[in-house]
Amino acid sequence: MKNQELQNLLFRRQFLLAKNKFPISKNWQYFSLNDGYILSVHPDLEHHIKRRNSRVLALLGIGFDVEYSGLSGNNLLESILDEAKNFQDILSQTTTISGRWVIIYQDQTDTYVFNDPSGYRTIYYHKNLSIMACGSQPEIIKAILNLSYQDKEDVTEFIYSERRRKRESYWVGDQTIYQSCYRLLPNHYLRFSDQKAVRFFPDPHSLEEKSINIVIPRIIEILNHTYQYLAGHYSLSQAVTAGIDSRLLLAASRPFAKEIDYFVDRMGVLPFTDPDIWVPALLSQRINTHFKVLNSNDKLPDWFINLLVKNVTEARLLPKTKAIYHRLVTNEQRILINGNTSDLSRVAYNPKKHTKENIDAYFLARWLNYHDIDFVIDTFEEWMNALYKHGLYQEDIINLVYWEQRLGIWGAQYASENDIATEEIRPINCRYLLYLILSTPTKYRIRPDFILYRQLIKELWPDCLSLPVNPFYNLRKFIGKGRGVIKRTFGSNK
């Protein structure tokens, strides 16, 4: 790959907000904001900035209002500024914004930064007494500041632990491998004046239980608006597996199915008999969608590995990394759609299993198989104490630990790694939509029946339930004709 092409891929789809310009590339765009801050934006990152007297509002990434399917970009920012008198109003106005985005707001007194509900458009920040900077990754902050690696014994023990390596380098908490460099967790905003991350959601007991009969029509309306916007503005490529999350999104995409390329990727490791391969392939034949079984299995070249590591802190080399490389070298232009975030609805407080006595930091560490790592236990202890001070209770912790410590960290990592190749959207990643789903009684959301999801699919595209969800039996046993159906379904895919 040519040097100029590599230069264009460096920190692709990232941003930096600091008192300095990003110094590496002339192709970036620069915007002078209040208080001497400069916003540096990679040319492939969508961005919109509006000024209203002393106020500045910036949207980075893809963000659109699910209540008004055509409201996005500058029109969205204008609408927010029209309605908002202060920063708390800004937060309220973003409840119905879906996508993967970062918002920057400045007024006469302060600068605030926050991101989409699951933190998929990541925000990292460096703080000390004199310097405040934030960006998409610690690596881009490191390009302008001298970041030092962690040297505390408990942190380094966690960083290099075998347990963590086996968990795809899964981090816990808001710290990073660098000193004084932090991750902004979901449901928080960053306030520059005192360099603090402040929790703003959820309000104590904000989820009032609702009947699924009331919720289902609203969820369907939001999903319809979501796909109407996405299909109207982008070409889409949507992953489909045997799981319930991708099945719901498949059903929701029905009005635009002829325009969407559906796929699943074997990544060199999944056999044709894996349910995540044969179920969507066979289902696509039944409902007549354009579906491909990919097998991204090329060896990752050194230039790609080196670039990925420069772009993303602790970038991983996994089978799914080959899918990223495949999208990059084939110049994939379509937005990638997947069902992540939806799984949050199935992590629920169970009074038979969870009590005030057993939900503690050790319980959470053990849940992640980090029970013998002091740093993780101490981090959870601090996180839980902050929740209690915010007025939240035991039943809130189970949902929030998955939301903030799983989706917002491990779940966000792949989206960041994928930025080198394509943009990615997860349609469930909307605070109002998550609120609606989580407000339904737990029994309708969890295994084995997924009642809420099945009801939604029946309303949206009933034929999507013609094959089982996550079957554990072999393809040959299910259809009785084994090799013949495999050949007709997969053709010459290897």
Side-chain angles (χ1 to χ4, degrees):
M1 184 166 283
K2 297 179 181 179
N3 288 337
Q4 185 58 50
E5 293 175 317
L6 292 175
Q7 191 74 9
N8 292 338
L9 295 176
L10 185 63
F11 301 120
R12 192 178 190 191
R13 296 187 175 90
Q14 294 194 25
F15 79 95
L16 177 70
L17 180 62
K19 294 294 180 81
N20 317 64
K21 282 186 178 181
F22 179 66
I24 295 179
S25 175
K26 297 180 180 179
N27 295 329
W28 284 53
Q29 293 183 266
Y30 305 102
F31 304 91
S32 295
L33 305 185
N34 295 349
D35 199 26
Y37 281 98
I38 299 172
L39 175 62
S40 303
V41 181
H42 187 278
D44 290 339
L45 176 61
E46 288 193 29
H47 55 278
H48 304 272
I49 301 176
K50 298 299 294 185
R51 302 175 188 271
R52 183 79 61 84
N53 299 322
S54 61
R55 298 192 296 168
V56 177
L57 186 62
L59 171 66
L60 309 178
I62 297 176
F64 54 95
D65 196 319
V66 296
E67 290 275 59
Y68 307 97
S69 56
L71 203 56
S72 63
N74 287 331
N75 291 333
L76 176 61
L77 296 184
E78 289 281 9
S79 174
I80 292 174
L81 287 172
D82 286 343
E83 298 294 330
K85 296 180 180 179
N86 52 48
F87 177 63
Q88 292 303 318
D89 290 344
I90 296 287
L91 289 174
S92 298
Q93 290 293 311
T94 62
T95 300
T96 55
I97 297 179
S98 187
R100 181 172 171 245
W101 46 265
V102 164
I103 284 181
I104 301 168
Y105 175 71
Q106 293 184 309
D107 58 22
Q108 290 178 319
T109 61
D110 219 327
T111 297
Y112 306 89
V113 185
F114 63 104
N115 50 4
D116 59 79
S118 299
Y120 291 146
R121 180 76 66 191
T122 53
I123 298 172
Y124 291 84
Y125 60 100
H126 172 270
K127 63 177 185 179
N128 61 29
L129 294 177
S130 59
I131 301 175
M132 185 68 177
C134 71
S136 299
Q137 285 289 311
E139 301 309 313
I140 197 171
I141 299 175
K142 188 179 178 182
I144 64 166
L145 298 175
N146 183 26
L147 297 185
S148 301
Y149 287 102
Q150 295 274 10
D151 58 4
K152 293 182 179 179
E153 184 177 353
D154 62 333
V155 184
T156 56
E157 178 188 0
F158 170 61
I159 291 173
Y160 299 110
S161 67
E162 181 67 10
R163 286 188 184 276
R164 181 167 176 262
R165 185 191 66 80
K166 291 180 178 180
R167 300 277 289 169
E168 297 185 1
S169 300
Y170 175 26
W171 195 275
V172 171
D174 64 350
Q175 295 191 55
T176 69
I177 63 172
Y178 298 110
Q179 299 177 34
S180 301
C181 188
Y182 300 87
R183 176 198 324 270
L184 187 67
L185 293 175
N187 303 317
H188 294 72
Y189 64 82
L190 180 59
R191 185 171 58 206
F192 274 38
S193 59
D194 54 4
Q195 301 185 351
K196 285 187 177 180
V198 182
R199 176 178 293 280
F200 68 91
F201 186 87
D203 292 329
H205 301 295
S206 60
L207 288 178
E208 298 179 2
E209 190 171 286
K210 293 180 174 61
S211 164
I212 62 170
N213 293 328
I214 295 175
V215 167
I216 283 176
R218 289 295 292 128
I219 294 176
I220 289 175
E221 183 180 20
I222 290 172
L223 289 174
N224 285 338
H225 285 171
T226 298
Y227 273 94
Q228 182 180 341
Y229 176 83
L230 291 174
H233 289 76
Y234 308 99
S235 297
L236 305 180
S237 178
Q238 181 162 320
V240 186
T241 67
I244 191 67
D245 303 316
S246 72
R247 198 74 63 92
L248 173 61
L249 293 187
L250 174 62
S253 70
R254 183 180 187 179
F256 308 98
K258 299 300 181 184
E259 306 166 29
I260 298 175
D261 286 332
Y262 301 95
F263 76 96
V264 69
D265 200 327
R266 294 172 56 213
M267 301 175 292
V269 294
L270 295 178
F272 283 126
T273 51
D274 189 295
D276 277 337
I277 305 301
W278 69 261
V279 168
L282 191 55
L283 183 60
S284 69
Q285 290 186 344
R286 294 189 176 186
I287 62 177
N288 193 28
T289 55
H290 183 259
F291 179 85
K292 290 183 179 179
V293 178
L294 305 177
N295 191 23
S296 303
N297 196 28
D298 291 338
K299 181 180 179 181
L300 300 177
D302 290 342
W303 67 262
F304 174 79
I305 295 173
N306 293 335
L307 189 59
L308 188 62
V309 170
K310 286 181 180 178
N311 284 4
V312 180
T313 301
E314 294 198 292
R316 305 157 305 173
L317 300 179
L318 304 167
K320 55 189 173 185
T321 311
K322 295 180 179 180
I324 296 174
Y325 174 68
H326 175 78
R327 286 191 284 271
L328 175 61
V329 296
T330 57
N331 195 29
E332 177 61 76
Q333 299 295 313
R334 293 166 296 182
I335 300 291
L336 179 63
I337 305 294
N338 70 47
N340 291 349
T341 308
S342 180
D343 45 340
L344 172 62
S345 68
R346 298 189 296 281
V347 182
Y349 177 80
N350 184 343
K352 293 182 180 180
K353 296 180 179 180
H354 309 136
T355 65
K356 184 175 182 180
E357 289 72 27
N358 70 14
I359 297 183
D360 56 16
Y362 180 79
F363 171 87
L364 298 180
R366 186 181 61 195
W367 183 45
L368 299 178
N369 200 26
Y370 284 160
H371 54 278
D372 57 351
I373 300 179
D374 291 339
F375 170 77
V376 174
I377 296 173
D378 293 342
T379 296
F380 275 135
E381 188 75 40
E382 182 178 347
W383 178 78
M384 290 175 66
N385 287 336
L387 287 177
Y388 296 146
K389 289 180 180 179
H390 191 69
L392 300 173
Y393 297 92
Q394 303 300 128
E395 55 265 35
D396 301 306
I397 287 177
I398 300 301
N399 277 129
L400 286 174
V401 72
Y402 193 83
W403 188 337
E404 298 178 6
Q405 303 287 346
R406 181 66 173 171
L407 293 180
I409 301 177
W410 177 86
Q413 182 75 354
Y414 186 74
S416 296
E417 293 164 346
N418 187 64
D419 274 337
I420 196 174
T422 57
E423 183 61 87
E424 177 181 298
I425 295 295
R426 303 170 185 185
I428 305 297
N429 188 32
C430 168
R431 192 172 302 280
Y432 182 51
L433 181 54
L434 287 170
Y435 172 86
L436 288 173
I437 294 173
L438 292 174
S439 68
T440 60
T442 300
K443 64 182 180 180
Y444 295 121
R445 295 186 266 119
I446 60 175
R447 300 176 187 274
D449 297 322
F450 308 116
I451 295 172
L452 172 63
Y453 278 45
R454 289 183 182 275
Q455 291 284 5
L456 287 166
I457 295 170
K458 286 179 182 178
E459 293 284 340
L460 290 162
W461 198 350
D463 289 344
C464 289
L465 292 174
S466 63
L467 285 178
V469 172
N470 284 330
F472 293 102
Y473 33 82
N474 188 276
L475 172 61
R476 183 188 298 272
K477 294 180 180 179
F478 179 72
I479 48 83
K481 295 185 180 180
R483 295 180 182 175
V485 171
I486 290 177
K487 186 175 181 180
R488 291 195 301 273
T489 301
F490 301 108
S492 60
N493 283 283
K494 296 180 179 180

